[in-house]
Amino acid sequence: MTASRVVLFAKRPTGAPTADCFEMREVELPPPAKGEVQVRNLWMSVDPYMRGRMFDLGPSYASAFKLGEPLSGRAVGQVVASKSAGFQEGDFVFSDLGWREAFNADPEVHPLRKLNLRGLPPEAFLGVAGITGLTAWVGLLKLTGLRAGETVLVTAAAGAVGSVACQIAKLKGCKVIGSAGGPTKTQALLEQLGVDAAVDYQAHSGRLTEAFQHAAPDGIDVCLENVGGEHLEAAINVARRYARFALCGMISQYNRISEPYPVRNLIMICGKELRIDGYLVGSYEDCLDEFLDEVCQWYNNGSIRSVETKFLGLEEAPAAFMGLFSGENLGKAVVGLA
Amino acid sequence: MTASRVVLFAKRPTGAPTADCFEMREVELPPPAKGEVQVRNLWMSVDPYMRGRMFDLGPSYASAFKLGEPLSGRAVGQVVASKSAGFQEGDFVFSDLGWREAFNADPEVHPLRKLNLRGLPPEAFLGVAGITGLTAWVGLLKLTGLRAGETVLVTAAAGAVGSVACQIAKLKGCKVIGSAGGPTKTQALLEQLGVDAAVDYQAHSGRLTEAFQHAAPDGIDVCLENVGGEHLEAAINVARRYARFALCGMISQYNRISEPYPVRNLIMICGKELRIDGYLVGSYEDCLDEFLDEVCQWYNNGSIRSVETKFLGLEEAPAAFMGLFSGENLGKAVVGLA
């Protein structure tokens, strides 16, 4: 028997999630049965979409978490014992069985993807080469059709998606404006991600339009937006004619229990002939191989980096998740489990 | 000399335009000079975008009207005297010199388009075969990529753009829901335009989402939206996954002098992966020939009709224009000038 700890969904949050929404339990795993593999997780991901799965009612991003059951989410692990023909001990695997240290699973029943690291560290496949990287790549390259010389605004630019988006836009020859909360993060945008201008939205609350205008006096051509509310409104205000927006989230709105922020300038969508594409990265999984080829090449030739906030130990996973909403993490938040 | 009456822009409206914003004056036209034609207008158009041109400040749809100067807008007329090699007496011409009964113009300096009626009445080129028809055609066929079997919501469906959009969507094999204000107009949608369901938004103010849901229980795939405010919010509420919106105006918002309606459900753009395209028909003038070929064929084989509210006499033009905002007109409002 193998000991593994697992985090259960203990209480539905009202507003921002709190520590008492999570409960750690220790379980014993039997050796894998015929057809199964046993995987020890190396890294797990915490992501904003998980907040949506904590609601009881209404359509959300994915099926709802059940109270008293283990949470789940993306993880990278390594096979420690295999009774499945397709997997060998030592194989790296990608699964949606995060929030636990180890698990047994039958790959015929539960999707496990074998991972070719191609020289990248395993945790990169939860960030720059993972779903958040894919989100940035799809939004900019498949939806907005980014062109060299354009001005690109990335909101939540120090976040998991934004930190990759800034780098892709720079790689493609664009001028990049990034917004983030606080001087530490805006400094990181300038120093670690090479953006051309950084806007500290905390210092410009209620005056974001002016701050964006100052950073992009000729307006923006493209916006990768995942904050919503005042950020979206200000981005529309500074959009040039025919600007394209890719919206992959609205993190400022997820925890709101009262009225959402009322965006009041939508008439500009007509007058400026804007295109706004909302998307969920799950609809673009057929792009994964193309994305991985490109991003691994960029990573290995040094033209893109992985920006991560690392938490160590499963007991830190709730704090890592809560940090997504308090804006404390820089880049992708990952939790080391081994 | 030829007598012609012309309407001047007398006062900027605050909120909805009023009769005192207009002033009629009589002018004498000399015979056309060398290179000029003299045109007697047959029909002129009144359109919501003209309200935007009455503002003093800020970017709008087109350049601003000047106080004390003649208003302008689309018109169809006939050449009554020509000293231009390209035009003959009797030619039908399309110009932007409406709001007057006759004019002299040099086609080398001022754009006049010779009009081949192809069996249609001249005023149809201000409506179903005009810019408002093109607006509906571009929105549905070039932007949303309408497919047979889809459910289409057309807002302001009894209006100039909407009345064409409903018919195009039916022609293409779609289920069509139209919204309009009041029982007379919703009845006209059902009887004259063949929509599958009509929603009277006046009878459902504050409960538009429920009304749309009732009309389209499985949701909508496509929306041609030109009202804004609560209409846009409700349309987003009933949108299916991957629904496409074409926004060509927000007539509910043009006259607002206080805060615009706050749309609060934009987070659904992400979750439902909506595509929203704002557009101005002026950007699609290269589609005009393709559109005219198609719409004239539809008109002549009886599969599309022109729905018009006709005003007679230039003195009625202000009332026709004001009727755009009070929702009194059915279909395209045109003013007969001869």
PDB file of all heavy atoms in Angstrom, chain A residues 296-331:
ATOM      1  N   CYS A 296       7.958  24.657 -27.461  1.00  0.00           N
ATOM      2  CA  CYS A 296       9.159  23.945 -26.999  1.00  0.00           C
ATOM      3  C   CYS A 296      10.394  24.460 -27.741  1.00  0.00           C
ATOM      4  O   CYS A 296      11.468  24.616 -27.146  1.00  0.00           O
ATOM      5  CB  CYS A 296       9.001  22.434 -27.181  1.00  0.00           C
ATOM      6  SG  CYS A 296       7.819  21.706 -26.016  1.00  0.00           S
ATOM      7  N   GLN A 297      10.200  24.748 -29.033  1.00  0.00           N
ATOM      8  CA  GLN A 297      11.306  25.330 -29.803  1.00  0.00           C
ATOM      9  C   GLN A 297      11.690  26.698 -29.232  1.00  0.00           C
ATOM     10  O   GLN A 297      12.867  26.986 -29.017  1.00  0.00           O
ATOM     11  CB  GLN A 297      10.859  25.439 -31.252  1.00  0.00           C
ATOM     12  CG  GLN A 297      11.976  25.749 -32.231  1.00  0.00           C
ATOM     13  CD  GLN A 297      11.418  25.980 -33.639  1.00  0.00           C
ATOM     14  OE1 GLN A 297      10.409  25.391 -34.025  1.00  0.00           O
ATOM     15  NE2 GLN A 297      12.077  26.852 -34.390  1.00  0.00           N
ATOM     16  N   TRP A 298      10.702  27.545 -28.972  1.00  0.00           N
ATOM     17  CA  TRP A 298      10.973  28.867 -28.387  1.00  0.00           C
ATOM     18  C   TRP A 298      11.683  28.736 -27.041  1.00  0.00           C
ATOM     19  O   TRP A 298      12.608  29.479 -26.737  1.00  0.00           O
ATOM     20  CB  TRP A 298       9.661  29.647 -28.191  1.00  0.00           C
ATOM     21  CG  TRP A 298       9.022  30.146 -29.441  1.00  0.00           C
ATOM     22  CD1 TRP A 298       9.623  30.385 -30.636  1.00  0.00           C
ATOM     23  CD2 TRP A 298       7.640  30.490 -29.610  1.00  0.00           C
ATOM     24  NE1 TRP A 298       8.697  30.845 -31.544  1.00  0.00           N
ATOM     25  CE2 TRP A 298       7.473  30.929 -30.943  1.00  0.00           C
ATOM     26  CE3 TRP A 298       6.523  30.471 -28.779  1.00  0.00           C
ATOM     27  CZ2 TRP A 298       6.243  31.338 -31.451  1.00  0.00           C
ATOM     28  CZ3 TRP A 298       5.299  30.883 -29.271  1.00  0.00           C
ATOM     29  CH2 TRP A 298       5.163  31.316 -30.601  1.00  0.00           C
ATOM     30  N   TYR A 299      11.213  27.776 -26.237  1.00  0.00           N
ATOM     31  CA  TYR A 299      11.797  27.601 -24.905  1.00  0.00           C
ATOM     32  C   TYR A 299      13.256  27.172 -25.019  1.00  0.00           C
ATOM     33  O   TYR A 299      14.138  27.721 -24.357  1.00  0.00           O
ATOM     34  CB  TYR A 299      10.990  26.554 -24.125  1.00  0.00           C
ATOM     35  CG  TYR A 299      11.360  26.461 -22.665  1.00  0.00           C
ATOM     36  CD1 TYR A 299      10.643  27.158 -21.700  1.00  0.00           C
ATOM     37  CD2 TYR A 299      12.439  25.676 -22.250  1.00  0.00           C
ATOM     38  CE1 TYR A 299      10.980  27.071 -20.358  1.00  0.00           C
ATOM     39  CE2 TYR A 299      12.787  25.585 -20.917  1.00  0.00           C
ATOM     40  CZ  TYR A 299      12.052  26.288 -19.966  1.00  0.00           C
ATOM     41  OH  TYR A 299      12.395  26.206 -18.643  1.00  0.00           O
ATOM     42  N   ASN A 300      13.497  26.210 -25.891  1.00  0.00           N
ATOM     43  CA  ASN A 300      14.852  25.657 -26.001  1.00  0.00           C
ATOM     44  C   ASN A 300      15.837  26.615 -26.657  1.00  0.00           C
ATOM     45  O   ASN A 300      17.028  26.543 -26.393  1.00  0.00           O
ATOM     46  CB  ASN A 300      14.809  24.317 -26.745  1.00  0.00           C
ATOM     47  CG  ASN A 300      14.266  23.204 -25.847  1.00  0.00           C
ATOM     48  OD1 ASN A 300      14.620  23.116 -24.672  1.00  0.00           O
ATOM     49  ND2 ASN A 300      13.392  22.370 -26.388  1.00  0.00           N
ATOM     50  N   ASN A 301      15.338  27.526 -27.516  1.00  0.00           N
ATOM     51  CA  ASN A 301      16.275  28.508 -28.085  1.00  0.00           C
ATOM     52  C   ASN A 301      16.294  29.810 -27.283  1.00  0.00           C
ATOM     53  O   ASN A 301      16.864  30.812 -27.715  1.00  0.00           O
ATOM     54  CB  ASN A 301      16.008  28.741 -29.586  1.00  0.00           C
ATOM     55  CG  ASN A 301      14.727  29.533 -29.855  1.00  0.00           C
ATOM     56  OD1 ASN A 301      14.218  30.234 -28.976  1.00  0.00           O
ATOM     57  ND2 ASN A 301      14.214  29.436 -31.062  1.00  0.00           N
ATOM     58  N   GLY A 302      15.658  29.784 -26.120  1.00  0.00           N
ATOM     59  CA  GLY A 302      15.774  30.906 -25.193  1.00  0.00           C
ATOM     60  C   GLY A 302      14.901  32.106 -25.522  1.00  0.00           C
ATOM     61  O   GLY A 302      15.039  33.159 -24.918  1.00  0.00           O
ATOM     62  N   SER A 303      13.952  31.956 -26.451  1.00  0.00           N
ATOM     63  CA  SER A 303      13.158  33.135 -26.794  1.00  0.00           C
ATOM     64  C   SER A 303      11.852  33.214 -26.000  1.00  0.00           C
ATOM     65  O   SER A 303      11.082  34.165 -26.155  1.00  0.00           O
ATOM     66  CB  SER A 303      12.912  33.217 -28.307  1.00  0.00           C
ATOM     67  OG  SER A 303      12.333  32.045 -28.794  1.00  0.00           O
ATOM     68  N   ILE A 304      11.591  32.239 -25.147  1.00  0.00           N
ATOM     69  CA  ILE A 304      10.450  32.362 -24.224  1.00  0.00           C
ATOM     70  C   ILE A 304      10.855  31.699 -22.905  1.00  0.00           C
ATOM     71  O   ILE A 304      11.652  30.762 -22.902  1.00  0.00           O
ATOM     72  CB  ILE A 304       9.169  31.726 -24.830  1.00  0.00           C
ATOM     73  CG1 ILE A 304       7.917  32.279 -24.158  1.00  0.00           C
ATOM     74  CG2 ILE A 304       9.199  30.216 -24.741  1.00  0.00           C
ATOM     75  CD1 ILE A 304       6.636  31.925 -24.916  1.00  0.00           C
ATOM     76  N   ARG A 305      10.349  32.233 -21.814  1.00  0.00           N
ATOM     77  CA  ARG A 305      10.692  31.653 -20.531  1.00  0.00           C
ATOM     78  C   ARG A 305       9.418  31.324 -19.762  1.00  0.00           C
ATOM     79  O   ARG A 305       8.343  31.839 -20.048  1.00  0.00           O
ATOM     80  CB  ARG A 305      11.569  32.599 -19.727  1.00  0.00           C
ATOM     81  CG  ARG A 305      10.961  33.980 -19.544  1.00  0.00           C
ATOM     82  CD  ARG A 305      11.933  34.948 -18.924  1.00  0.00           C
ATOM     83  NE  ARG A 305      12.193  34.552 -17.550  1.00  0.00           N
ATOM     84  CZ  ARG A 305      13.055  35.170 -16.759  1.00  0.00           C
ATOM     85  NH1 ARG A 305      13.742  36.207 -17.214  1.00  0.00           N
ATOM     86  NH2 ARG A 305      13.232  34.776 -15.518  1.00  0.00           N
ATOM     87  N   SER A 306       9.598  30.451 -18.784  1.00  0.00           N
ATOM     88  CA  SER A 306       8.477  30.073 -17.938  1.00  0.00           C
ATOM     89  C   SER A 306       8.534  30.927 -16.672  1.00  0.00           C
ATOM     90  O   SER A 306       9.557  30.950 -15.995  1.00  0.00           O
ATOM     91  CB  SER A 306       8.593  28.593 -17.589  1.00  0.00           C
ATOM     92  OG  SER A 306       7.450  28.166 -16.916  1.00  0.00           O
ATOM     93  N   VAL A 307       7.462  31.677 -16.414  1.00  0.00           N
ATOM     94  CA  VAL A 307       7.409  32.486 -15.195  1.00  0.00           C
ATOM     95  C   VAL A 307       6.455  31.785 -14.244  1.00  0.00           C
ATOM     96  O   VAL A 307       5.288  31.580 -14.565  1.00  0.00           O
ATOM     97  CB  VAL A 307       6.919  33.915 -15.503  1.00  0.00           C
ATOM     98  CG1 VAL A 307       6.874  34.753 -14.237  1.00  0.00           C
ATOM     99  CG2 VAL A 307       7.803  34.567 -16.554  1.00  0.00           C
ATOM    100  N   GLU A 308       6.970  31.396 -13.101  1.00  0.00           N
ATOM    101  CA  GLU A 308       6.160  30.580 -12.190  1.00  0.00           C
ATOM    102  C   GLU A 308       6.267  31.074 -10.756  1.00  0.00           C
ATOM    103  O   GLU A 308       7.310  31.580 -10.347  1.00  0.00           O
ATOM    104  CB  GLU A 308       6.650  29.111 -12.211  1.00  0.00           C
ATOM    105  CG  GLU A 308       6.359  28.387 -13.500  1.00  0.00           C
ATOM    106  CD  GLU A 308       7.404  27.320 -13.800  1.00  0.00           C
ATOM    107  OE1 GLU A 308       8.355  27.158 -13.000  1.00  0.00           O
ATOM    108  OE2 GLU A 308       7.271  26.666 -14.849  1.00  0.00           O
ATOM    109  N   THR A 309       5.180  30.918 -10.009  1.00  0.00           N
ATOM    110  CA  THR A 309       5.246  31.010  -8.558  1.00  0.00           C
ATOM    111  C   THR A 309       5.073  29.595  -8.043  1.00  0.00           C
ATOM    112  O   THR A 309       4.041  28.963  -8.291  1.00  0.00           O
ATOM    113  CB  THR A 309       4.146  31.923  -8.001  1.00  0.00           C
ATOM    114  OG1 THR A 309       4.354  33.245  -8.516  1.00  0.00           O
ATOM    115  CG2 THR A 309       4.182  31.963  -6.489  1.00  0.00           C
ATOM    116  N   LYS A 310       6.091  29.100  -7.375  1.00  0.00           N
ATOM    117  CA  LYS A 310       6.079  27.701  -6.954  1.00  0.00           C
ATOM    118  C   LYS A 310       5.713  27.582  -5.483  1.00  0.00           C
ATOM    119  O   LYS A 310       6.298  28.263  -4.631  1.00  0.00           O
ATOM    120  CB  LYS A 310       7.450  27.068  -7.201  1.00  0.00           C
ATOM    121  CG  LYS A 310       7.714  26.835  -8.686  1.00  0.00           C
ATOM    122  CD  LYS A 310       9.078  26.202  -8.936  1.00  0.00           C
ATOM    123  CE  LYS A 310       9.185  25.824 -10.422  1.00  0.00           C
ATOM    124  NZ  LYS A 310      10.549  25.474 -10.816  1.00  0.00           N
ATOM    125  N   PHE A 311       4.759  26.729  -5.200  1.00  0.00           N
ATOM    126  CA  PHE A 311       4.395  26.368  -3.834  1.00  0.00           C
ATOM    127  C   PHE A 311       4.861  24.934  -3.641  1.00  0.00           C
ATOM    128  O   PHE A 311       4.785  24.139  -4.583  1.00  0.00           O
ATOM    129  CB  PHE A 311       2.879  26.462  -3.639  1.00  0.00           C
ATOM    130  CG  PHE A 311       2.337  27.879  -3.763  1.00  0.00           C
ATOM    131  CD1 PHE A 311       2.152  28.457  -5.017  1.00  0.00           C
ATOM    132  CD2 PHE A 311       2.018  28.617  -2.631  1.00  0.00           C
ATOM    133  CE1 PHE A 311       1.654  29.749  -5.128  1.00  0.00           C
ATOM    134  CE2 PHE A 311       1.518  29.910  -2.741  1.00  0.00           C
ATOM    135  CZ  PHE A 311       1.336  30.479  -3.990  1.00  0.00           C
ATOM    136  N   LEU A 312       5.307  24.599  -2.464  1.00  0.00           N
ATOM    137  CA  LEU A 312       5.828  23.242  -2.281  1.00  0.00           C
ATOM    138  C   LEU A 312       5.026  22.494  -1.233  1.00  0.00           C
ATOM    139  O   LEU A 312       4.885  22.951  -0.098  1.00  0.00           O
ATOM    140  CB  LEU A 312       7.321  23.292  -1.923  1.00  0.00           C
ATOM    141  CG  LEU A 312       8.214  23.852  -3.056  1.00  0.00           C
ATOM    142  CD1 LEU A 312       9.680  23.883  -2.639  1.00  0.00           C
ATOM    143  CD2 LEU A 312       8.046  23.039  -4.347  1.00  0.00           C
ATOM    144  N   GLY A 313       4.473  21.346  -1.637  1.00  0.00           N
ATOM    145  CA  GLY A 313       3.705  20.505  -0.745  1.00  0.00           C
ATOM    146  C   GLY A 313       2.207  20.668  -0.972  1.00  0.00           C
ATOM    147  O   GLY A 313       1.709  21.784  -1.146  1.00  0.00           O
ATOM    148  N   LEU A 314       1.482  19.534  -0.938  1.00  0.00           N
ATOM    149  CA  LEU A 314       0.042  19.566  -1.198  1.00  0.00           C
ATOM    150  C   LEU A 314      -0.683  20.479  -0.220  1.00  0.00           C
ATOM    151  O   LEU A 314      -1.700  21.099  -0.558  1.00  0.00           O
ATOM    152  CB  LEU A 314      -0.536  18.145  -1.118  1.00  0.00           C
ATOM    153  CG  LEU A 314      -2.017  17.994  -1.461  1.00  0.00           C
ATOM    154  CD1 LEU A 314      -2.283  18.362  -2.925  1.00  0.00           C
ATOM    155  CD2 LEU A 314      -2.501  16.561  -1.191  1.00  0.00           C
ATOM    156  N   GLU A 315      -0.144  20.584   0.999  1.00  0.00           N
ATOM    157  CA  GLU A 315      -0.784  21.432   2.009  1.00  0.00           C
ATOM    158  C   GLU A 315      -0.783  22.905   1.588  1.00  0.00           C
ATOM    159  O   GLU A 315      -1.548  23.706   2.118  1.00  0.00           O
ATOM    160  CB  GLU A 315      -0.105  21.247   3.376  1.00  0.00           C
ATOM    161  CG  GLU A 315       1.361  21.668   3.450  1.00  0.00           C
ATOM    162  CD  GLU A 315       2.342  20.619   2.900  1.00  0.00           C
ATOM    163  OE1 GLU A 315       1.883  19.618   2.300  1.00  0.00           O
ATOM    164  OE2 GLU A 315       3.563  20.811   3.055  1.00  0.00           O
ATOM    165  N   GLU A 316       0.045  23.280   0.616  1.00  0.00           N
ATOM    166  CA  GLU A 316       0.087  24.665   0.138  1.00  0.00           C
ATOM    167  C   GLU A 316      -0.886  24.919  -1.017  1.00  0.00           C
ATOM    168  O   GLU A 316      -1.025  26.060  -1.487  1.00  0.00           O
ATOM    169  CB  GLU A 316       1.508  25.021  -0.322  1.00  0.00           C
ATOM    170  CG  GLU A 316       2.536  25.033   0.788  1.00  0.00           C
ATOM    171  CD  GLU A 316       2.210  26.068   1.858  1.00  0.00           C
ATOM    172  OE1 GLU A 316       1.719  27.165   1.497  1.00  0.00           O
ATOM    173  OE2 GLU A 316       2.417  25.764   3.052  1.00  0.00           O
ATOM    174  N   ALA A 317      -1.521  23.867  -1.510  1.00  0.00           N
ATOM    175  CA  ALA A 317      -2.368  24.019  -2.702  1.00  0.00           C
ATOM    176  C   ALA A 317      -3.527  25.001  -2.470  1.00  0.00           C
ATOM    177  O   ALA A 317      -3.795  25.854  -3.334  1.00  0.00           O
ATOM    178  CB  ALA A 317      -2.882  22.654  -3.170  1.00  0.00           C
ATOM    179  N   PRO A 318      -4.236  24.931  -1.318  1.00  0.00           N
ATOM    180  CA  PRO A 318      -5.309  25.927  -1.112  1.00  0.00           C
ATOM    181  C   PRO A 318      -4.785  27.365  -1.145  1.00  0.00           C
ATOM    182  O   PRO A 318      -5.395  28.239  -1.768  1.00  0.00           O
ATOM    183  CB  PRO A 318      -5.873  25.549   0.263  1.00  0.00           C
ATOM    184  CG  PRO A 318      -5.612  24.078   0.377  1.00  0.00           C
ATOM    185  CD  PRO A 318      -4.256  23.890  -0.256  1.00  0.00           C
ATOM    186  N   ALA A 319      -3.646  27.621  -0.540  1.00  0.00           N
ATOM    187  CA  ALA A 319      -3.078  28.981  -0.546  1.00  0.00           C
ATOM    188  C   ALA A 319      -2.721  29.402  -1.970  1.00  0.00           C
ATOM    189  O   ALA A 319      -2.928  30.554  -2.369  1.00  0.00           O
ATOM    190  CB  ALA A 319      -1.851  29.034   0.357  1.00  0.00           C
ATOM    191  N   ALA A 320      -2.178  28.469  -2.741  1.00  0.00           N
ATOM    192  CA  ALA A 320      -1.833  28.781  -4.130  1.00  0.00           C
ATOM    193  C   ALA A 320      -3.090  29.166  -4.902  1.00  0.00           C
ATOM    194  O   ALA A 320      -3.098  30.130  -5.676  1.00  0.00           O
ATOM    195  CB  ALA A 320      -1.164  27.567  -4.784  1.00  0.00           C
ATOM    196  N   PHE A 321      -4.168  28.417  -4.671  1.00  0.00           N
ATOM    197  CA  PHE A 321      -5.436  28.699  -5.360  1.00  0.00           C
ATOM    198  C   PHE A 321      -5.996  30.050  -4.919  1.00  0.00           C
ATOM    199  O   PHE A 321      -6.393  30.875  -5.752  1.00  0.00           O
ATOM    200  CB  PHE A 321      -6.434  27.571  -5.067  1.00  0.00           C
ATOM    201  CG  PHE A 321      -7.774  27.780  -5.704  1.00  0.00           C
ATOM    202  CD1 PHE A 321      -7.917  27.767  -7.081  1.00  0.00           C
ATOM    203  CD2 PHE A 321      -8.906  27.990  -4.912  1.00  0.00           C
ATOM    204  CE1 PHE A 321      -9.162  27.967  -7.675  1.00  0.00           C
ATOM    205  CE2 PHE A 321     -10.145  28.193  -5.500  1.00  0.00           C
ATOM    206  CZ  PHE A 321     -10.277  28.179  -6.876  1.00  0.00           C
ATOM    207  N   MET A 322      -6.006  30.292  -3.614  1.00  0.00           N
ATOM    208  CA  MET A 322      -6.555  31.565  -3.114  1.00  0.00           C
ATOM    209  C   MET A 322      -5.745  32.744  -3.635  1.00  0.00           C
ATOM    210  O   MET A 322      -6.285  33.821  -3.901  1.00  0.00           O
ATOM    211  CB  MET A 322      -6.617  31.543  -1.588  1.00  0.00           C
ATOM    212  CG  MET A 322      -7.664  30.527  -1.081  1.00  0.00           C
ATOM    213  SD  MET A 322      -7.882  30.527   0.728  1.00  0.00           S
ATOM    214  CE  MET A 322      -6.431  29.638   1.283  1.00  0.00           C
ATOM    215  N   GLY A 323      -4.450  32.537  -3.824  1.00  0.00           N
ATOM    216  CA  GLY A 323      -3.582  33.590  -4.343  1.00  0.00           C
ATOM    217  C   GLY A 323      -3.941  34.040  -5.751  1.00  0.00           C
ATOM    218  O   GLY A 323      -3.611  35.145  -6.166  1.00  0.00           O
ATOM    219  N   LEU A 324      -4.653  33.184  -6.499  1.00  0.00           N
ATOM    220  CA  LEU A 324      -5.075  33.567  -7.858  1.00  0.00           C
ATOM    221  C   LEU A 324      -5.998  34.764  -7.817  1.00  0.00           C
ATOM    222  O   LEU A 324      -6.022  35.574  -8.739  1.00  0.00           O
ATOM    223  CB  LEU A 324      -5.827  32.412  -8.542  1.00  0.00           C
ATOM    224  CG  LEU A 324      -5.071  31.110  -8.781  1.00  0.00           C
ATOM    225  CD1 LEU A 324      -6.033  30.070  -9.353  1.00  0.00           C
ATOM    226  CD2 LEU A 324      -3.907  31.339  -9.736  1.00  0.00           C
ATOM    227  N   PHE A 325      -6.794  34.856  -6.747  1.00  0.00           N
ATOM    228  CA  PHE A 325      -7.830  35.892  -6.688  1.00  0.00           C
ATOM    229  C   PHE A 325      -7.356  37.129  -5.935  1.00  0.00           C
ATOM    230  O   PHE A 325      -7.856  38.219  -6.154  1.00  0.00           O
ATOM    231  CB  PHE A 325      -9.104  35.310  -6.074  1.00  0.00           C
ATOM    232  CG  PHE A 325      -9.583  34.113  -6.847  1.00  0.00           C
ATOM    233  CD1 PHE A 325      -9.312  32.829  -6.413  1.00  0.00           C
ATOM    234  CD2 PHE A 325     -10.227  34.287  -8.064  1.00  0.00           C
ATOM    235  CE1 PHE A 325      -9.703  31.731  -7.162  1.00  0.00           C
ATOM    236  CE2 PHE A 325     -10.627  33.195  -8.817  1.00  0.00           C
ATOM    237  CZ  PHE A 325     -10.363  31.908  -8.357  1.00  0.00           C
ATOM    238  N   SER A 326      -6.376  36.935  -5.050  1.00  0.00           N
ATOM    239  CA  SER A 326      -5.833  38.096  -4.361  1.00  0.00           C
ATOM    240  C   SER A 326      -4.697  38.704  -5.178  1.00  0.00           C
ATOM    241  O   SER A 326      -4.136  39.721  -4.788  1.00  0.00           O
ATOM    242  CB  SER A 326      -5.348  37.690  -2.967  1.00  0.00           C
ATOM    243  OG  SER A 326      -4.425  36.626  -3.070  1.00  0.00           O
ATOM    244  N   GLY A 327      -4.379  38.099  -6.323  1.00  0.00           N
ATOM    245  CA  GLY A 327      -3.380  38.686  -7.209  1.00  0.00           C
ATOM    246  C   GLY A 327      -1.975  38.601  -6.662  1.00  0.00           C
ATOM    247  O   GLY A 327      -1.135  39.438  -6.947  1.00  0.00           O
ATOM    248  N   GLU A 328      -1.688  37.566  -5.869  1.00  0.00           N
ATOM    249  CA  GLU A 328      -0.370  37.492  -5.239  1.00  0.00           C
ATOM    250  C   GLU A 328       0.682  36.764  -6.066  1.00  0.00           C
ATOM    251  O   GLU A 328       1.865  36.919  -5.839  1.00  0.00           O
ATOM    252  CB  GLU A 328      -0.487  36.802  -3.866  1.00  0.00           C
ATOM    253  CG  GLU A 328      -1.005  37.762  -2.808  1.00  0.00           C
ATOM    254  CD  GLU A 328      -1.490  37.032  -1.569  1.00  0.00           C
ATOM    255  OE1 GLU A 328      -1.018  35.924  -1.290  1.00  0.00           O
ATOM    256  OE2 GLU A 328      -2.361  37.602  -0.882  1.00  0.00           O
ATOM    257  N   ASN A 329       0.219  35.934  -6.988  1.00  0.00           N
ATOM    258  CA  ASN A 329       1.174  35.106  -7.731  1.00  0.00           C
ATOM    259  C   ASN A 329       1.750  35.864  -8.924  1.00  0.00           C
ATOM    260  O   ASN A 329       1.088  36.693  -9.534  1.00  0.00           O
ATOM    261  CB  ASN A 329       0.478  33.842  -8.240  1.00  0.00           C
ATOM    262  CG  ASN A 329      -0.192  33.065  -7.109  1.00  0.00           C
ATOM    263  OD1 ASN A 329       0.278  33.086  -5.985  1.00  0.00           O
ATOM    264  ND2 ASN A 329      -1.295  32.421  -7.419  1.00  0.00           N
ATOM    265  N   LEU A 330       2.955  35.522  -9.278  1.00  0.00           N
ATOM    266  CA  LEU A 330       3.569  36.034 -10.499  1.00  0.00           C
ATOM    267  C   LEU A 330       3.665  34.866 -11.472  1.00  0.00           C
ATOM    268  O   LEU A 330       4.210  33.816 -11.143  1.00  0.00           O
ATOM    269  CB  LEU A 330       4.961  36.594 -10.184  1.00  0.00           C
ATOM    270  CG  LEU A 330       5.699  37.252 -11.340  1.00  0.00           C
ATOM    271  CD1 LEU A 330       5.006  38.532 -11.790  1.00  0.00           C
ATOM    272  CD2 LEU A 330       7.148  37.568 -10.934  1.00  0.00           C
ATOM    273  N   GLY A 331       3.122  35.030 -12.659  1.00  0.00           N
ATOM    274  CA  GLY A 331       3.138  33.954 -13.649  1.00  0.00           C
ATOM    275  C   GLY A 331       2.224  32.820 -13.230  1.00  0.00           C
ATOM    276  O   GLY A 331       1.217  33.025 -12.552  1.00  0.00           O
TER     277      GLY A 331
END
